[in-house]
Amino acid sequence: MKIYIMVLNKALLEKTVEEKFTSYISDLQELVRIPSISPNKKFNNKEILSIVEKVTLILSQKGFSVKTYKTKTNPVVVGTLENDPSLPWITLYNHMDVQPAESGEWKYEDHFNGEVSEGKIWGRGTTDDKGPAMCLLYGIDTLKSIGAKLPNIQIIYETMEEIGSPGFENWLKEFGHELKNPHSILVSDTVFEGDYPAINYKLKGSLGLDINLKLQEGDLHSGLWSGVAVQPNHIMNKALNTFCDDSGLIKVQSILDLMDPISEIELEKQAEVSKILDLEKLKKDGGNVELITSNKEIILKQRGLMPTFTEHGRQGSQCGLIYEEGKKREFSFSSTIPNEIRVLGSLRLVPGLEPQKTLEKVREYFISIHPNFKIEGSKFVHPVNLGFENAFTKKAFDAYFDVFKKKPVFTAMGGTIGSIYPFQQYFKGSPIVMAALSLVEDGYHAPNESFKLDHAKKGIQFIAQYLHSIVEDTN
């Protein structure tokens, strides 16, 4: 029978985190230096397989039994650490794939360098999601090192989150019987609310939209047909302007009618977040972003509680970049009227907006504007509502407050994580806790992505205290 430290010595915990932190940085650097990009890449590409090999090695070195599952998309890695058969199982989830890093101006020429400077570690994947993943792993390792009690752990790393987790649900259905049925699932792939720890209770889904409008058979000379022929660009702009407002908020009533009602407790939680929301910091963290309004309640409601649309690009505008040197750019354009226009975008869904049903409403709307519209959907990810009240959320709340010295807030998140809905459906009755470890200023998906080292240390302590709290009262 194992003998554990029953009362967590927090001074010893902090000291041990400090002692292990050089190793934490080294492991994180090795992960960051593998450019495990999933968007616009072949499944099971060399870098994805390399990151799987590396995390398998790291998990094994920390005492985990590891199994890699091949899927029709990218692999899933599962590590298990059974500490005591009488104790509960907790599942921890992170992803090891990353976004591309070609665009924007970067501090370092190598965008996957893992350079340490200015109190941060730099490079794509440092905060999304390799840094937080290593915080979870080192939280476990620290508890083991000091002889503290901790639950049985099941870690799941996927490598397709950045493309909507295609295949994850099918993998779970096929191999879920091999997994431990957890008492709870912890996901750390979200961000603080400014400087305040955040527990995300609601997560938006996503629906990729390919919106196409073709009119005449070929392009037209604008000198002959401008003011005479119906132009695809004009019709597209008209349709989009009534589909959503300038902020992206959906205006189509048949889509809004699908939403689940927003509860009073959600509005109360939103009001609490509004009190601590720093708009100037928010703008700075986003790279001097221009906000749609200075009304905090509107910002929070539209970010987390309402469906929104984003246009990511369009084809058929007959213009292109022909010269670029430094920041000087010149564009060419054709004076023809294109016969076809195509917009690629995404609709962020809220609970009640099931992706396929929402796609039907989107098609109905655009065809009502012009019968030639053709709409295709992709990357269907369901929105989720995780709720506020469960014993594991309470323990996360307490651990956050103890380590970060600030009262956590409950937030509705505008982002999307494709694995959450399958987890929720497969492991019914297992509460999911979404505990943020990253900051907005870290630069999710942006140039100069980084992860603060002091913040990482606290993240390790938080995870250790949270996991210990789950079993500290068990015999």
Side-chain angles (χ1 to χ4, degrees):
M1 181 177 180
K2 292 184 178 180
I3 304 299
Y4 299 103
I5 294 174
M6 298 303 294
V7 178
L8 191 62
N9 184 327
K10 295 176 184 177
L12 177 61
L13 174 67
E14 188 172 346
K15 178 176 179 289
T16 307
V17 169
E18 195 67 45
E19 291 171 350
K20 290 179 173 289
F21 201 66
T22 299
S23 177
Y24 168 90
I25 292 174
S26 178
D27 280 341
L28 180 52
Q29 285 177 318
E30 290 193 39
L31 293 175
V32 171
R33 288 167 182 165
I34 300 173
S36 49
I37 300 167
S38 59
N40 305 315
K41 295 284 186 177
K42 291 182 179 179
F43 293 136
N44 297 300
N45 63 66
K46 181 178 71 174
E47 288 76 18
I48 289 293
L49 297 181
S50 293
I51 201 72
V52 166
E53 182 179 353
K54 177 56 66 176
V55 296
T56 297
L57 176 61
I58 293 173
L59 285 170
S60 298
Q61 290 172 339
K62 300 299 183 187
F64 282 77
S65 299
V66 187
K67 182 172 182 177
T68 298
Y69 293 84
K70 294 181 179 179
T71 74
K72 293 181 180 179
T73 53
N74 284 343
V76 177
V77 178
V78 177
T80 54
L81 182 70
E82 185 168 7
N83 299 297
D84 186 330
S86 68
L87 296 178
W89 280 91
I90 301 296
T91 291
L92 308 179
Y93 164 91
N94 292 96
H95 66 89
M96 287 292 159
D97 60 318
V98 301
Q99 285 284 329
E102 293 89 355
S103 61
E105 297 180 9
W106 286 73
K107 181 179 178 67
Y108 295 100
E109 184 176 351
D110 183 357
H111 306 162
F112 297 89
N113 61 352
E115 185 78 22
V116 174
S117 68
E118 302 174 33
K120 303 177 181 179
I121 181 168
W122 301 81
R124 177 63 82 228
T126 49
T127 197
D128 183 21
D129 184 32
K130 296 172 181 178
M134 289 300 98
C135 285
L136 270 59
L137 185 58
Y138 271 78
I140 296 163
D141 192 53
T142 300
L143 288 176
K144 288 175 60 183
S145 294
I146 64 176
K149 199 172 187 180
L150 72 161
N152 301 306
I153 303 294
Q154 176 174 250
I155 286 181
I156 298 178
Y157 293 145
E158 72 154 307
T159 57
M160 47 193 157
E161 190 277 337
E162 297 292 3
I163 50 175
S165 301
F168 188 85
E169 184 172 10
N170 287 337
W171 167 77
L172 196 55
K173 289 178 179 177
E174 184 175 358
F175 296 105
H177 67 280
E178 296 185 11
L179 303 177
K180 304 298 183 181
N181 191 4
H183 285 64
S184 181
I185 301 168
L186 184 133
V187 177
S188 183
D189 185 23
T190 54
V191 296
F192 272 38
E193 189 62 71
D195 294 326
Y196 285 78
I199 298 173
N200 305 110
Y201 72 89
K202 181 178 279 190
L203 196 65
K204 283 188 176 181
S206 182
L207 170 61
L209 293 175
D210 184 341
I211 308 168
N212 187 275
L213 178 63
K214 182 177 180 181
L215 298 184
Q216 69 279 353
E217 288 302 314
D219 293 347
L220 300 174
H221 190 297
S222 61
L224 296 175
W225 295 101
S226 180
V228 177
V230 174
Q231 299 186 35
N233 267 316
H234 294 173
I235 300 300
M236 181 67 76
N237 290 339
K238 174 187 175 182
L240 291 176
N241 286 340
T242 49
F243 183 63
C244 62
D245 67 14
D246 291 343
S247 70
L249 181 67
I250 296 300
K251 296 164 61 176
V252 180
Q253 192 60 46
S254 62
I255 296 176
L256 297 176
D257 288 343
L258 299 175
M259 289 175 51
D260 289 345
I262 299 172
S263 68
E264 287 298 320
I265 190 171
E266 287 186 84
L267 296 178
E268 292 173 9
K269 298 296 184 184
Q270 179 180 283
E272 292 176 8
V273 177
S274 179
K275 293 176 183 177
I276 58 96
L277 181 62
D278 184 337
L279 294 185
E280 291 305 313
K281 177 173 173 52
L282 182 63
K283 289 190 285 187
K284 181 181 178 182
D285 289 348
N288 297 316
V289 66
E290 183 178 355
L291 301 178
I292 58 167
T293 177
S294 60
N295 187 308
K296 296 179 182 180
E297 285 74 17
I298 291 177
I299 288 174
L300 293 171
K301 186 175 183 179
Q302 296 191 179
R303 183 185 68 181
L305 302 178
M306 298 297 293
T308 54
F309 174 77
T310 298
E311 179 182 332
H312 303 299
R314 61 172 66 194
Q315 295 175 342
S317 53
Q318 302 290 332
C319 67
L321 177 66
I322 60 170
Y323 175 76
E324 181 172 0
E325 181 179 348
K327 294 185 178 180
K328 181 179 179 181
R329 295 177 177 179
E330 295 180 6
F331 290 84
S332 68
F333 67 92
S334 169
S335 60
T336 60
I337 297 173
N339 70 320
E340 186 175 6
I341 185 74
R342 180 187 185 194
V343 166
L344 300 177
S346 62
L347 180 58
R348 295 286 180 171
L349 310 174
V350 296
L353 271 65
E354 187 275 328
Q356 187 61 53
K357 183 65 175 178
T358 304
L359 179 60
E360 294 173 8
K361 296 299 181 181
V362 171
R363 284 187 175 131
E364 290 174 5
Y365 162 76
F366 277 95
I367 290 172
S368 74
I369 301 296
H370 197 286
N372 285 22
F373 268 112
K374 295 187 182 301
I375 313 295
E376 297 297 330
S378 63
K379 298 182 179 179
F380 291 21
V381 180
H382 289 262
V384 293
N385 191 342
L386 305 175
F388 303 101
E389 302 299 332
N390 65 72
F392 295 93
T393 298
K394 176 65 167 60
K395 291 182 183 297
F397 186 99
D398 292 342
Y400 262 141
F401 187 72
D402 192 58
V403 172
F404 289 94
K405 310 304 180 188
K406 289 188 176 182
K407 183 180 177 181
V409 292
F410 289 89
T411 61
M413 182 183 170
T416 299
I417 302 175
S419 62
I420 306 301
Y421 181 79
F423 273 142
Q424 194 177 47
Q425 295 303 302
Y426 192 86
F427 294 116
K428 294 183 185 294
S430 298
I432 300 173
V433 179
M434 295 197 60
L437 287 180
S438 298
L439 302 169
V440 174
E441 65 187 74
D442 292 342
Y444 259 57
H445 298 189
N448 297 314
E449 183 180 340
S450 63
F451 196 45
K452 285 187 172 182
L453 299 182
D454 284 346
H455 197 77
K457 291 177 184 177
K458 289 182 178 179
I460 296 171
Q461 293 173 46
F462 160 73
I463 291 299
Q465 290 191 204
Y466 169 70
L467 292 175
H468 178 74
S469 71
I470 292 172
V471 294
E472 63 182 343
D473 297 327
T474 58
N475 296 323

